Amino acid sequence: MAPPRAGAVAVALLAVVATVAVHAAGGAGGGRKMASHGEGTPRVSPGPPAPAPAGGSASQFRGQARLPRFAAPRHYELHLRPDLVACTFSGSVAITVAVSASTRFLVLNAADLSINSSSIRFQALAPTEVVFFKEDGVLVLGFAKPLPFGEGVLKMDFTGTLNDQMRGFYRSKYQYKGKERNMAVTQFESVDARRCFPCWDEPAFKAKFKLTLEVPSELTALSNMPVANTTVAGPIKTIRYQESPLMSTYLVAIVVGLFEYVEGVTVKGTRVRVYTQVGKSRQGKFALDVGVKSLNLYKDYFGTPFPLPKMDMVAIPDFAAGAMENYGLVTYREVALLFDDKSSSASSKQNVAITVAHELAHQWFGNLVTMEWWTHLWLNEGFATWVSHLAVDSFFPQWNIWTQFLDSTTTALRLDSLEESHPIEVEIHHASEVDQIFDAISYEKGASVIRMLHSYLGADRFQKALASYIKKYAYSNAKTEDLWAVFEKETGEPVKDLMTSWTKQKGYPVINAKLKGNDMELEQAQFLLDGSSGPGMWIVPITSGCGAYDTQKKFLLKLKRDKLVIASQCGDRKKGGNFWTKLNVNGTGFYRVKYDDELAAALQNALETKKLSLMDKIGIIDDSHALSMARQQTLASLLRLLYCYRGEADYSVLSHINSVTASISKISVDATPGLAGDIKQLLIKILLSPAEKLGWDPKNGESHLDVMLRPMLLLALVQLGHGKTINEGDRRFNIFIRDRNTSLLPPDTRKVAYLAVMQNVSSSNRSGYDALRKLYKESAEGEERLRVLGILSSCRDKGIVLESLNLIFTNEVRSQDAYLVVRGLQIEAREIAWNWLKENWERILKTVSVSSLVGDFIKGIVPLFASNEKAAEVSKFFATRTTPGFERTLKQSLENVRISARWVEGIKSEPGLAQTVRELLGKS
């Protein structure tokens, strides 16, 4: 699954209802046990009376982390009839179940379904009790006597609602010929197949699926497999699909609606289609091209052909995640799949490529070989994130995607330096815990430690071992330890010991490097942004370069302290010249480095004399920023280092410089309010030169990276309050509003102009705001609507900010996009936004039903503050308002507030900061 942004998508299960015994009508004292109904609880319609159960109790299965293993599914015959007008569905399922131990119970999953208890049969046996545990999403069927060993068929009928929560079997709305219509869509990862049909809803219970759908004749109905046959009876057609290979329930998929498509084929003859709303198929051509190339590349890289006869990719208007890797039927948010040369930005094109490559990598790493349990989620997501960059780098080498990959690494380093982080492998004890771990640790840290292992082993050995793993575990499940065992066998390296230190414990080390004679003394300590040092110890693959990149050394740091002999590598440093040494060459290791004064000065000189690679330029500034936040370096020293980048022209490096400048600008408001204006001017000075070289207008033949760099720099200048850039954005916007086809505002720079307009908006001067709202309503392009929505709250005026935030309670904003209204908040509006959040909390929960999207409101507002008092206030407010779905997000946001408060204290007591700022401002 691809998250809609950095970070993960999560869905929380509803919780807690007691099982209550009720009697079926007509039976005195001997009816079946059934749970109370309650919202979200499967409801059972009464069946004929049956004998009371003999011995044992269903309650033994309450609250268990996993379903019992004494019975397992082998095959599902699933028949579904969705009603897209009434937004309901009915269905029946026949599950071939293998009973392998003595039991009188069948225990499976179901949620939000009404099950006809009189239809339940295992072979010819009717259950004597039907019990639901709502908080677990578990259905227990008790029989009068032990079930026979071997295979039998479990049948039942059920009905449900096509919900509006973007999980399970749900409805998505779209426009066709001016009228609103519904499509039916599934989203089952992680534990929501049970909301569509009763099943063993865990990854390890792989089975084959044979689906039948009854749908309106004029609609397209897609599933994992190709159509076997179709019969039409008037307005309804019955579609039977080919039987699937062994697969997990979370990968079953169904999409029903009006679509058109573009089509391609792989070198091995696999049919690939991109389905879109009617009239948008042209926008699917780029994704189709990337999809075909990805399947071709992965076939060779994984050493295994794509196992299904077709691959469909579908753009869905309402979709909580970025995309979902369902076997043979991948579903996407429209903006993650569609690209239009006329209305889409270069960054959108790149995002589509990476997302498609990510999801198709899952067809092998996740679908063909599936993690055994959600504890090993990172096996899916970390590898898909890493290998998607491998693929895109192959297709578009000019994008320099591996340098951009360091965005992923630094995102993960930032999250993993919190006490409230978690290990890559998280023990999952209950289904309600799963979706919290769809975050930067599972995705970006997972991908980063894979890159580290790839660097350590070398490309050829890594690829050979990975292909062996895929072949060994095809059509089955695996744990992290299984992967390391294959790698050890194939390479002879101590992979398990090395990698276990990175996957089983949270955090990462900072390597303290000091020169002592001809040696460099190294000491590792767990790095935490709050300034403390945790207990972690790692086996660290150290790389070092000295004076040049062709004399690198590699070794494993296994102890807390060790030394690196650098004399032979660096020569005599006292002779001057090119002496410098850089650890963690090109950022392949997941750790930070803190250098002593001599090493730091030499590196800064190498930076200024352009001796360092792009990746090392990024690593140095990112480490320095983190060390400053942790109060291990001064802000003044960070600013001096930052100033060395003033002539930089590379997109990836400037992307990180921009992140650091935004952080400094934000913290200066609280730490040094009297100096904040001068600090902003200094930050503008650093970014202005490359921005002026690029200008506002695209140039013939310029690179993809320069096309992305232009809006990034201009946006930064607007956010820093650069008057000339704001005025130019305002001017271009006014021309654009009169002439939407003007060349003065192409898709890449529109957001800059929109943000510039918002800097002058107020309740008494709202013409620009109204023009943006009109643009939002009238645009048919998803990317354009998101551009506008993401900046509508970007002003200081209370009335405008509240009006923008309240848009989420209207039908103008899809639930999946609601979080964007807090994305653009300025620090001056944080109290307004916080009060709004408190006053509307219950309303937000009802409006945005997906818990991770609710968490985004916390993440977008709470970290704007930088005081312990505010952290205490926020903590008190949420003391009785948290759920498992966003509890970790809240804790991490509060920790970030406290880290910022500590940084503020350090900056306030820092001597010479004002002098440093004035000195750098005065430099020519």
Side-chain angles (χ1 to χ4, degrees):
M1 186 190 294
R5 61 215 160 276
V9 158
V11 185
L13 286 178
L14 301 171
V16 186
V17 65
T19 300
V20 180
V22 297
H23 296 308
R32 300 180 182 182
K33 292 184 179 178
M34 295 170 289
S36 63
H37 296 170
E39 185 181 346
T41 307
R43 299 180 302 279
V44 178
S45 54
S57 169
S59 62
Q60 64 186 296
F61 303 110
R62 179 198 286 273
Q64 298 300 306
R66 308 277 292 271
L67 294 175
R69 268 32 191 180
F70 50 65
R74 295 289 182 258
H75 186 273
Y76 290 81
E77 291 266 1
L78 177 61
H79 193 124
L80 290 171
R81 297 169 291 278
D83 184 332
L84 274 65
V85 177
C87 290
T88 59
F89 64 91
S90 59
S92 60
V93 67
I95 311 171
T96 301
V97 181
V99 178
S100 58
S102 179
T103 181
R104 67 177 193 84
F105 293 101
L106 290 177
V107 186
L108 60 160
N109 297 112
D112 295 343
L113 298 173
S114 294
I115 295 174
N116 178 357
S117 68
S118 63
S119 70
I120 302 174
R121 292 290 185 278
F122 181 65
Q123 300 297 71
L125 301 173
T128 53
E129 23 173 7
V130 180
V131 182
F132 289 96
F133 298 115
K134 176 188 175 182
E135 66 273 25
D136 304 318
V138 166
L139 164 64
V140 180
L141 305 177
F143 296 85
K145 58 184 181 180
L147 302 175
F149 285 175
E151 291 189 354
V153 176
L154 173 66
K155 295 182 178 181
M156 65 186 81
D157 301 332
F158 53 91
T159 60
T161 299
L162 292 173
N163 68 72
D164 58 0
Q165 298 175 14
M166 295 181 288
R167 61 175 179 170
F169 202 13
Y170 72 93
R171 65 180 179 270
S172 176
K173 297 177 181 178
Y174 64 105
Q175 294 285 325
Y176 180 68
K177 294 184 177 179
K179 293 184 178 179
E180 187 173 82
R181 298 186 62 151
N182 294 319
M183 65 174 69
V185 185
T186 55
Q187 169 57 40
F188 291 162
E189 190 176 28
S190 54
V191 291
D192 290 317
R194 66 193 66 181
R195 299 179 191 279
C196 180
F197 60 100
C199 56
W200 274 256
D201 197 14
E202 294 182 8
F205 285 113
K206 284 192 168 185
K208 295 182 178 182
F209 290 82
K210 201 166 187 179
L211 269 66
T212 300
L213 296 179
E214 289 183 28
V215 299
S217 299
E218 74 277 11
L219 299 184
T220 299
L222 305 171
S223 189
N224 307 85
M225 299 299 290
V227 173
N229 61 72
T230 303
T231 55
V232 179
I236 299 296
K237 62 182 176 183
T238 301
I239 307 172
R240 297 169 185 85
Y241 298 89
Q242 295 177 20
E243 183 179 82
S244 78
L246 287 168
M247 58 191 281
S248 303
T249 48
Y250 78 90
L251 297 168
V252 175
I254 298 163
V255 176
V256 182
L258 277 172
F259 296 101
E260 60 184 30
Y261 64 85
V262 289
E263 182 177 287
V265 64
T266 69
V267 292
K268 288 296 185 182
T270 303
R271 190 199 76 201
V272 185
R273 287 178 177 174
V274 173
Y275 285 86
T276 72
Q277 288 188 50
V278 175
K280 292 186 176 183
S281 59
R282 181 179 61 84
Q283 297 177 34
K285 289 183 177 179
F286 176 68
L288 176 66
D289 180 57
V290 173
V292 170
K293 288 177 178 176
S294 296
L295 292 176
N296 288 335
L297 183 146
Y298 293 149
K299 167 186 63 68
D300 296 330
Y301 192 80
F302 294 128
T304 302
F306 176 61
L308 299 186
K310 62 93 176 175
M311 168 53 65
D312 294 329
M313 300 188 284
V314 192
I316 305 297
D318 297 283
F319 200 76
M324 176 60 209
E325 68 267 19
N326 314 299
Y327 223 173
L329 177 57
V330 182
T331 44
Y332 297 79
R333 278 192 185 205
E334 290 192 324
V335 293
L337 186 67
L338 306 184
F339 175 78
D340 187 335
D341 287 322
K342 296 178 180 177
S343 63
S344 300
S345 63
S347 58
S348 174
K349 185 176 189 177
Q350 185 172 292
N351 183 59
V352 168
I354 289 175
T355 305
V356 169
H358 178 110
E359 301 308 322
L360 296 191
H362 274 310
Q363 304 303 307
W364 285 264
F365 225 105
N367 299 8
L368 181 62
V369 180
T370 310
M371 76 240 145
E372 190 272 339
W373 177 236
W374 296 104
T375 292
H376 310 281
L377 171 70
W378 85 280
L379 283 176
N380 282 13
E381 301 303 348
F383 265 90
T385 301
W386 177 81
V387 84
S388 66
H389 286 75
L390 182 86
V392 171
D393 184 57
S394 172
F395 310 148
F396 306 101
Q398 70 276 20
W399 290 4
N400 209 1
I401 207 73
W402 281 117
T403 305
Q404 293 190 56
F405 178 83
L406 292 183
D407 281 335
S408 296
T409 300
T410 55
T411 296
L413 285 168
R414 174 66 189 270
L415 179 56
D416 208 27
S417 55
L418 300 182
E419 183 60 42
E420 289 294 341
S421 183
H422 63 83
I424 285 177
E425 291 184 74
V426 185
E427 285 299 325
I428 299 297
H429 302 294
H430 194 276
S432 63
E433 302 171 6
V434 175
D435 294 308
Q436 287 194 81
I437 62 172
F438 283 79
D439 64 2
I441 301 301
S442 296
Y443 286 74
E444 282 81 4
K445 183 180 179 181
S448 297
V449 299
I450 289 162
R451 178 172 177 252
M452 182 168 66
L453 180 62
H454 180 269
S455 173
Y456 175 72
L457 295 176
D460 290 343
R461 289 203 297 171
F462 182 93
Q463 187 271 331
K464 182 183 176 185
L466 193 60
S468 294
Y469 168 80
I470 293 289
K471 285 175 181 167
K472 181 173 182 177
Y473 290 98
Y475 300 105
S476 61
N477 299 79
K479 300 179 180 180
T480 301
E481 291 77 11
D482 299 322
L483 179 67
W484 302 151
V486 173
F487 268 77
E488 286 203 348
K489 181 181 178 183
E490 293 290 337
T491 67
E493 296 283 353
V495 174
K496 181 180 178 182
D497 288 346
L498 166 63
M499 297 306 293
T500 296
S501 72
W502 296 94
T503 63
K504 296 286 190 184
Q505 62 180 335
K506 67 183 177 183
Y508 58 87
V510 56
I511 307 298
N512 291 281
K514 296 180 181 179
L515 280 176
K516 193 167 184 180
N518 289 325
D519 298 336
M520 184 188 299
E521 293 185 344
L522 305 179
E523 181 179 357
Q524 66 163 299
Q526 183 174 350
F527 179 77
L528 291 165
L529 274 174
D530 66 6
S532 65
S533 181
M537 277 280 293
W538 289 263
I539 298 176
V540 189
I542 298 288
T543 53
S544 72
C546 193
Y549 282 89
D550 56 359
T551 56
Q552 290 186 37
K553 277 192 173 183
K554 293 184 178 183
F555 83 102
L556 290 179
L557 175 64
K558 299 179 180 180
L559 307 172
K560 185 168 179 65
R561 296 177 187 85
D562 207 336
K563 62 182 179 181
L564 180 65
V565 180
I566 62 171
S568 59
Q569 185 185 12
C570 299
D572 188 353
R573 70 177 188 276
K574 293 179 181 177
K575 293 181 181 178
N578 285 333
F579 168 74
W580 52 267
T581 188
K582 170 72 173 62
L583 298 183
N584 194 13
V585 176
N586 288 328
T588 55
F590 195 78
Y591 57 91
R592 297 195 183 280
V593 183
K594 181 182 180 183
Y595 300 94
D596 68 10
D597 290 344
E598 182 180 352
L599 288 168
L603 262 183
Q604 187 161 321
N605 180 62
L607 178 66
E608 291 188 294
T609 53
K610 304 189 184 327
K611 302 285 176 56
L612 300 181
S613 69
L614 296 176
M615 289 180 177
D616 281 339
K617 288 180 182 180
I618 291 168
I620 289 169
I621 192 62
D622 195 66
D623 285 352
S624 185
H625 178 219
L627 290 166
S628 178
M629 289 183 69
R631 290 175 60 175
Q632 295 184 32
Q633 289 183 1
T634 63
L635 178 59
S637 67
L638 175 60
L639 289 172
R640 289 185 184 278
L641 179 64
L642 197 60
Y643 195 76
C644 298
Y645 290 81
R646 64 196 179 279
E648 185 55 58
D650 177 76
Y651 167 79
S652 294
V653 177
L654 282 167
S655 175
H656 288 264
I657 297 302
N658 179 39
S659 297
V660 175
T661 60
S663 173
I664 293 171
S665 174
K666 173 180 173 287
I667 205 68
S668 67
V669 171
D670 292 299
T672 58
L675 195 59
D678 286 345
I679 288 177
K680 282 189 176 183
Q681 289 307 307
L682 174 59
L683 301 176
I684 287 170
K685 183 180 179 182
I686 292 168
L687 297 173
L688 190 57
S689 175
E692 287 180 337
K693 284 180 182 176
L694 285 172
W696 276 79
D697 299 306
K699 300 173 179 62
N700 288 334
E702 67 183 352
S703 71
H704 167 82
L705 293 174
D706 278 350
V707 174
M708 292 206 301
L709 178 59
R710 176 179 291 109
M712 184 187 73
L713 290 172
L714 293 175
L715 271 170
L717 291 172
V718 170
Q719 288 164 336
L720 289 168
H722 186 240
K724 185 178 177 181
T725 305
I726 292 171
N727 291 339
E728 180 63 13
D730 201 50
R731 182 184 78 83
R732 289 176 182 249
F733 176 76
N734 288 322
I735 295 170
F736 173 70
I737 287 301
R738 294 192 297 271
D739 175 15
R740 300 286 172 86
N741 295 315
T742 178
S743 62
L744 286 177
L745 208 58
D748 289 286
T749 50
R750 283 180 196 166
K751 188 175 179 180
V752 181
Y754 301 166
L755 186 64
V757 167
M758 287 302 302
Q759 304 315 294
N760 297 315
V761 160
S762 67
S763 296
S764 58
N765 177 31
R766 54 178 294 141
S767 59
Y769 181 75
D770 290 337
L772 282 166
R773 286 283 301 277
K774 186 170 185 285
L775 187 64
Y776 176 80
K777 289 179 181 177
E778 293 178 352
S779 177
E781 301 301 328
E783 186 180 343
E784 179 74 341
R785 287 170 62 83
L786 298 187
R787 265 189 216 118
V788 177
L789 188 60
I791 57 90
L792 286 179
S793 63
S794 297
C795 78
R796 298 178 177 87
D797 185 274
K798 180 177 180 180
I800 295 294
V801 171
L802 290 176
E803 186 175 339
S804 299
L805 294 174
N806 284 328
L807 282 174
I808 72 164
F809 304 127
T810 70
N811 59 10
E812 288 185 41
V813 178
R814 291 182 186 268
S815 177
Q816 67 185 25
D817 302 325
Y819 73 94
L820 285 168
V821 300
V822 298
R823 274 283 181 91
L825 286 167
Q826 297 182 355
I827 196 167
E828 293 83 359
R830 59 190 174 183
E831 282 291 350
I832 300 168
W834 168 237
N835 287 327
W836 171 83
L837 187 75
K838 289 188 293 183
E839 292 165 8
N840 292 279
W841 181 247
E842 295 302 324
R843 197 176 176 192
I844 292 168
L845 289 178
K846 292 177 182 176
T847 303
V848 185
S849 57
V850 179
S851 60
S852 70
L853 300 182
V854 172
D856 284 329
F857 284 84
I858 296 170
K859 207 161 29 179
I861 295 173
V862 173
L864 293 172
F865 294 98
S867 75
N868 290 320
E869 293 77 16
K870 185 57 69 173
E873 179 188 331
V874 173
S875 185
K876 182 179 179 181
F877 174 78
F878 281 110
T880 58
R881 293 177 171 89
T882 57
T883 72
F886 57 82
E887 183 177 12
R888 181 174 275 128
T889 297
L890 175 64
K891 289 179 178 179
Q892 291 169 347
S893 296
L894 287 168
E895 187 176 351
N896 276 316
V897 174
R898 296 185 184 106
I899 287 166
S900 294
R902 185 176 178 274
W903 194 19
V904 165
E905 292 170 6
I907 294 170
K908 282 181 176 178
S909 61
E910 191 176 313
L913 177 60
Q915 181 181 342
T916 297
V917 172
R918 286 192 293 269
E919 177 190 327
L920 294 174
L921 271 175
K923 281 191 173 184
S924 58

